Amino acid sequence: MFQHFFVAIFRNLRKNKVFTFINVAGLAIGLAASLLIIQYIRFELSFDQFHENKKDLYRVGAQGDVRQYKTSLLYFTVAPLLEEGIPQIDKATRLWSQKGTLSIEDEEGQRAFKEPFVYADANFFSMFDFLLRYGDPQQVLANPQSVVLSESAATKLFGEASQHLIGEPLTLYDLFGSRQYQITGIAEDMPANSHIQQDIFFSFEVVESEQARNWSVDYWGAFSTYAQLQPSASPDDLSASLAAFQEHYYPNNDANLFLEPLTDTYLRSELGNALGGTGSAQLMQIFLLVAIFIMAIAWINYINLTTARATERAKEVGIRKVVGSSRSHLIRQFLLEALLFNVVSAILALTIFQLSLPITSQLLGKDIQTVYLFGEPLFWLLFMIALIIGSIISGLYPAFVLSACEPTTVLKGKFSSSRQGTLLRKGLMVLQFAASIALVGGTYVVFQQLSFMRSQNLGLAIEETMIVESPAIVDENAEDRFTSMKTELSRFQFVESVVFSGNVPGKSYNYSTQAALPDEDLNEASSFAILEVDAQYIPEYQISMVAGRNYSDSLSQENQRVLLNETAAQSLGFETSQAAVGQLIKVGNAETPQEVIGVVADYHHKSLQNPYEPIIFNFRPGSGKISIKLNTTSSSASVADMTKEIKDVYLALFPGNPFDYYFLDDQFNSLYQEDRRIGRLFAIFAILAVLVACLGLFGLTTFTVAQKTKEVGIRKVLGASIVSVLRLLSRDFAVLMLIAVIITLPVIFWAMKQWLTNYAFSIDYSISLFILPMSLVVLVGLITVSTQTVRAALANPVDSLRYE
């Protein structure tokens, strides 16, 4: 019997090659796109899942009740005190992210690299499942002068990642000065699905010794802290213990400590991540809907095309019934046909998926192939279930419609599609185009927001600004050398100015601390960003002064005065910017209040996703990052020649340092790199959705035109114009697209408005924003229809009347 089914199915497929291609191609493209989305979602959900003891690992966070903040960066002493004070906590570890210069001496001479790194506690590698290629997890960071390199870092620094590197010396220059370390371990690169993405780990013992001797970092909230609970402990049971711990050790701090599951750190945390990027659970939900939309469009195509051909296949059904086929027999045949279509499409989709995976990874900038979807039994189980369900859903209605044909009616040529069937087909088409319009409309809004952020006035000048990292290898004459550097660089015709600052726009600040008026409690004060600048920072970056004056190199005691931005002045309670000038404020652990000498206009120090932050500017000339304002229009030298001239001056004054530089406009563009990648991915899936929908529309149009061939011929013989014939053939499709627009508009308007709430600064949002993308989808649909209707309208009526 099944052999008979397959013979009938293959004959039918061979007879209708266009419909076969459209059905298989539509299903394959839809399924492949959905699989790529699922692969991406699975990768995002897999973050930090590879740790064997993940259920016991937590990140420690703090939430302030008075100042209303949440942070993952805690005090220096929290981790060791947690181990000591709460028995349910087995281990606690700290990571402190820094950047410094690494110096190596070998047969090639002395080489230096400017690299990010972390200070890590000795128990870090025994607490987390980051694999060491060489070294003992219990011992690699136990020695105060020990350092662990990832394979990538080892290869970059030494040209290899072999066991021969164990014991090799490496000198670090950072805020503690210089210190020599020995390589004690080589780690495998951090997995792509780890929220901790570091390549160089220095022993935390150095920080503790420096802290004990020279200065207190206990005031800073700068340390990522993790805890491993005893296997029998529950985080809910620790609430009372953490409250008692807080009261005992930090009675004057309003922050409440809490535990966040490590597996929530990347995707579901509100704390951010100082050690790498973060994902978005909301975005994953959106992508899941996109996958469902695309797959639904593909299955709707199959249902529409199959039911539309009901009149053509009705004769086949009628004859089969006359020769003895039962209805159940026919239903099985049509369900088997649907299953065959889905299986063939699934095989093709899996091939497309596998070939497209590297390209998708490249577009996203993430190695989503880290999670091997095909190696998971659960994936294949769900895939088979989805395939069977999809086959049943897409085949059940056509099977019942076609098997219900009465042979006497069909063989007399009186069979036609029912009104209910026609309405269902039209309804499904509306859903198809509604989904396509939603995807295209959403993609358009994403790109409009990206364009807005890139073109928005930042409130400062970043063009033609080269940023050179501050040298770490310096001598006792460093201050004089900085002055000489400014003098030497200013002699170049293409250099307009040289500015020193602790950090630069597009990056972060020097640090954050509390600030308040002299009579207020600093413990209950808001947090302010601190940025160290020289007197040229404000004018050369063209930041507007709102009130008061800027710093001056000619005045003494400027380091006891501060500048504020407008948001900082408001946060401190001043009614106007002018009212803040001349007032005293307490800043952090400064011994005496400091005078406000000026207020500058708010500017975008970070991306437009972030609101304006309160910034306090401290005066610290002659050190930090070096901002070199270039003038490329008045010089005949190329940018490469300018860079070489600047590099020569830098290395002459600061030998042994790497010349590490970038351009500020590139840095700001990189802030939106993730948004651009997501936007491109949305665009690709939106195009695929429209393509699949248009494939179905092409098939339906082809069939509709074929059904009306004789009618068109008669109308043309009776004098109908080509325009009227086109209107006849296209009217129904145009109406359905218009209905899809009406249905989709309020839904997509609300959804994208919710998405834009993630941005502190966003585009002007209105219904008119969706006119262009919706018109584009409708236009593509009408062009698809026109490819068949125009040919029918231009056909010779004599040929049309001979059609049957």
Side-chain angles (χ1 to χ4, degrees):
M1 182 176 68
F2 281 103
Q3 181 182 1
H4 175 72
F5 282 164
F6 280 112
V7 169
I9 290 170
F10 281 111
R11 282 178 179 172
N12 181 61
L13 298 183
R14 190 169 61 249
K15 180 182 177 183
N16 300 279
K17 294 183 180 64
V18 173
F19 286 96
T20 301
F21 170 78
I22 290 173
N23 268 331
V24 171
L27 280 171
I29 293 171
L31 187 56
S34 299
L35 285 173
L36 286 170
I37 295 173
I38 291 169
Q39 173 76 31
Y40 174 47
I41 294 173
R42 180 68 186 88
F43 171 77
E44 294 286 290
L45 292 174
S46 73
F47 264 75
D48 301 309
Q49 298 284 346
F50 57 87
H51 299 287
E52 287 187 14
N53 56 340
K54 61 187 176 185
K55 63 181 181 61
D56 298 325
L57 292 174
Y58 293 83
R59 183 170 66 169
V60 187
Q63 178 173 348
D65 293 333
V66 177
R67 290 182 274 123
Q68 296 295 310
Y69 70 92
K70 289 183 178 181
T71 181
S72 64
L73 298 178
L74 306 182
Y75 294 158
F76 175 84
T77 52
V78 170
L81 290 176
L82 282 173
E83 276 190 3
E84 177 187 329
I86 300 181
Q88 297 96 321
I89 294 180
D90 183 29
K91 299 176 185 175
T93 196
R94 295 161 294 186
L95 292 176
W96 188 23
S97 181
Q98 292 289 294
K99 190 171 186 178
T101 297
L102 309 180
S103 179
I104 300 168
E105 282 194 48
D106 52 23
E107 60 274 6
E108 297 180 15
Q110 185 175 10
R111 294 176 291 120
F113 304 83
K114 195 82 169 181
E115 296 293 329
F117 65 90
V118 290
Y119 285 109
D121 275 312
N123 59 3
F124 175 76
F125 282 100
S126 62
M127 188 167 160
F128 294 99
D129 290 333
F130 296 120
L131 301 179
L132 289 172
R133 188 164 290 278
Y134 307 109
D136 181 359
Q138 304 287 342
Q139 300 296 324
V140 285
L141 291 174
N143 189 299
Q145 273 72 49
S146 58
V147 58
V148 176
L149 304 179
S150 72
E151 290 179 300
S152 293
T155 303
K156 179 178 181 179
L157 299 177
F158 294 94
E160 62 175 349
S162 68
Q163 193 171 5
H164 298 101
L165 295 180
I166 302 299
E168 285 293 315
L170 185 154
T171 304
L172 170 66
Y173 297 84
D174 68 348
L175 76 169
F176 295 127
S178 65
R179 180 172 278 97
Q180 191 173 79
Y181 292 82
Q182 278 191 330
I183 298 172
T184 54
I186 303 294
E188 292 186 5
D189 289 344
M190 299 286 108
N193 55 347
S194 169
H195 85 277
I196 299 174
Q197 291 293 328
Q198 303 295 326
D199 288 312
I200 304 172
F201 299 83
F202 286 98
S203 170
F204 209 96
E205 290 291 331
V206 175
V207 183
E208 290 183 320
S209 61
E210 287 286 348
Q211 188 269 345
R213 289 204 310 267
N214 299 326
W215 46 280
S216 173
V217 294
D218 188 48
Y219 188 80
W220 293 7
F223 302 89
S224 297
T225 302
Y226 299 86
Q228 181 177 339
L229 306 190
Q230 298 285 355
S232 59
S234 166
D236 297 332
D237 298 336
L238 262 67
S239 298
S241 299
L242 284 172
F245 173 89
Q246 177 82 22
E247 182 63 29
H248 179 72
Y249 291 105
Y250 305 99
N252 297 322
N253 195 292
D254 75 307
N256 298 313
L257 298 177
F258 64 91
L259 298 178
E260 176 185 74
L262 183 74
T263 51
D264 288 351
T265 299
Y266 175 77
L267 203 59
R268 303 177 187 88
S269 177
E270 297 179 2
L271 302 180
N273 179 20
L275 301 173
T278 57
S280 167
Q282 181 189 32
L283 186 62
M284 293 306 100
Q285 293 170 355
I286 293 172
F287 268 114
L288 182 59
L289 285 176
V290 171
I292 293 171
F293 279 170
I294 294 176
M295 201 62 252
I297 289 171
W299 276 326
I300 286 170
N301 269 357
Y302 181 85
I303 296 171
N304 273 345
L305 290 172
T306 307
T307 54
R309 292 175 56 222
T311 53
E312 183 178 309
R313 300 199 65 182
K315 289 182 180 179
E316 173 193 344
V317 172
I319 293 172
R320 286 181 178 276
K321 282 192 171 185
V322 167
V323 297
S325 292
S326 64
R327 187 178 184 189
S328 62
H329 181 96
L330 291 168
I331 289 174
R332 285 198 297 273
Q333 176 182 330
F334 288 122
L335 285 175
L336 184 62
E337 184 176 318
L339 178 62
L340 182 63
F341 264 111
N342 277 269
V343 168
V344 173
S345 300
I347 294 171
L348 183 58
L350 290 172
T351 305
I352 297 172
F353 165 76
Q354 196 65 32
L355 294 174
S356 304
L357 206 49
I359 300 172
T360 307
S361 293
Q362 187 176 2
L363 282 172
L364 287 168
K366 298 178 179 181
D367 188 12
I368 64 174
Q369 301 175 82
T370 300
V371 178
Y372 187 58
L373 206 59
F374 287 177
E376 299 183 16
L378 181 60
F379 163 75
W380 288 109
L381 176 63
L382 294 176
F383 183 77
M384 295 305 297
I385 291 173
L387 187 62
I388 293 169
I389 292 174
S391 301
I392 293 172
I393 290 174
S394 60
L396 200 59
Y397 177 76
F400 275 93
V401 169
L402 292 172
S403 65
C405 300
E406 289 296 332
T408 53
T409 304
V410 171
L411 295 177
K412 288 179 180 179
K414 296 181 179 180
F415 177 82
S416 61
S417 298
S418 67
R419 183 172 180 272
Q420 291 83 355
T422 302
L423 288 175
L424 175 64
R425 194 160 57 248
K426 289 181 177 180
L428 292 174
M429 187 181 296
V430 168
L431 289 177
Q432 263 191 327
F433 271 90
S436 300
I437 290 169
L439 288 174
V440 174
T443 302
Y444 182 73
V445 171
V446 169
F447 278 103
Q448 286 293 102
Q449 175 64 18
L450 286 172
S451 176
F452 167 80
M453 291 190 295
R454 294 180 66 183
S455 62
Q456 184 75 355
N457 182 5
L458 298 174
L460 76 166
I462 63 171
E463 296 78 13
E464 297 187 320
T465 303
M466 177 189 287
I467 306 299
V468 179
E469 294 288 350
S470 179
I473 305 174
V474 294
D475 55 23
E476 65 276 5
N477 299 318
E479 189 173 337
D480 293 336
R481 291 178 184 272
F482 276 110
T483 302
S484 298
M485 182 177 182
K486 179 176 283 192
T487 303
E488 291 295 321
L489 290 179
S490 298
R491 291 174 181 169
F492 292 128
Q493 182 182 1
F494 55 80
V495 174
E496 290 191 345
S497 63
V498 181
V499 178
F500 295 100
S501 58
N503 221 321
V504 294
K507 293 287 189 177
S508 187
Y509 307 97
N510 286 88
Y511 57 93
S512 294
T513 189
Q514 281 70 52
L517 299 178
D519 58 346
E520 293 179 344
D521 185 357
L522 202 60
N523 290 320
E524 297 183 358
S526 298
S527 182
F528 291 75
I530 305 297
L531 186 61
E532 297 171 345
V533 300
D534 65 7
Q536 286 71 46
Y537 183 89
I538 300 299
E540 293 303 332
Y541 272 107
Q542 299 179 26
I543 302 171
S544 302
M545 290 293 306
V546 177
R549 67 173 178 85
N550 182 32
Y551 286 122
S552 172
D553 289 323
S554 61
L555 297 177
S556 62
Q557 297 185 324
E558 291 286 74
N559 58 353
Q560 298 177 18
R561 304 179 177 110
V562 296
L563 295 174
L564 308 176
N565 70 344
E566 292 174 291
T567 298
Q570 294 168 8
S571 298
L572 288 165
F574 297 113
E575 293 186 2
T576 64
S577 297
Q578 189 63 49
V581 178
Q583 300 299 314
L584 296 177
I585 62 172
K586 297 185 296 186
V587 181
N589 57 357
E591 295 180 358
T592 59
Q594 296 172 283
E595 179 189 359
V596 178
I597 61 171
V599 178
V600 304
D602 285 331
Y603 70 92
H604 295 287
H605 192 86
K606 297 182 179 179
S607 79
L608 271 72
Q609 284 181 297
N610 304 290
Y612 290 127
E613 295 179 86
I615 307 173
I616 296 175
F617 301 87
N618 286 342
F619 185 64
R620 190 179 178 185
S623 65
K625 293 183 186 292
I626 307 160
S627 303
I628 304 172
K629 295 283 186 176
L630 303 178
N631 186 345
T632 58
T633 56
S634 62
S635 174
S636 59
S638 66
V639 174
D641 292 336
M642 295 179 188
T643 303
K644 183 180 182 305
E645 296 277 9
I646 294 170
K647 179 179 179 180
D648 290 342
V649 171
Y650 178 89
L651 294 180
L653 291 168
F654 302 105
N657 285 278
F659 180 70
D660 192 7
Y661 75 97
Y662 60 88
F663 286 91
L664 197 55
D665 51 356
D666 293 335
Q667 169 61 28
F668 264 91
N669 285 335
S670 70
L671 296 178
Y672 308 115
Q673 189 173 31
E674 183 69 16
D675 297 274
R676 284 198 298 272
R677 287 169 175 166
I678 296 299
R680 284 197 296 267
L681 201 61
F682 261 112
I684 290 170
F685 291 134
I687 292 170
L688 289 176
V690 173
L691 173 63
V692 173
C694 286
L695 276 173
L697 185 60
F698 179 84
L700 282 175
T701 307
T702 302
F703 183 78
T704 301
V705 169
Q707 291 292 94
K708 293 188 176 183
T709 300
K710 193 170 185 179
E711 178 185 348
V712 169
I714 294 172
R715 286 178 178 273
K716 291 187 72 174
V717 168
L718 295 176
S721 65
I722 293 175
V723 174
S724 65
V725 171
L726 288 174
R727 191 184 303 120
L728 168 71
L729 296 174
S730 305
R731 181 177 54 209
D732 287 348
F733 295 108
V735 170
L736 294 178
M737 291 182 207
L738 181 61
I739 294 172
V741 168
I742 295 171
I743 292 173
T744 309
L745 189 56
V747 176
I748 188 65
F749 178 81
W750 174 83
M752 296 313 296
K753 188 173 183 179
Q754 293 299 114
W755 178 74
L756 286 172
T757 59
N758 295 317
Y759 295 86
F761 300 88
S762 61
I763 54 179
D764 293 330
Y765 195 69
S766 66
I767 292 289
S768 61
L769 191 65
F770 296 96
I771 292 176
L772 179 60
M774 290 185 172
S775 300
L776 180 64
V777 176
V778 171
L779 179 62
V780 171
L782 290 176
I783 290 173
T784 303
V785 171
S786 299
T787 58
Q788 297 299 304
T789 56
V790 169
R791 188 172 63 179
L794 294 175
N796 190 328
V798 175
D799 296 331
S800 301
L801 294 175
R802 288 176 180 170
Y803 178 72
E804 294 183 353

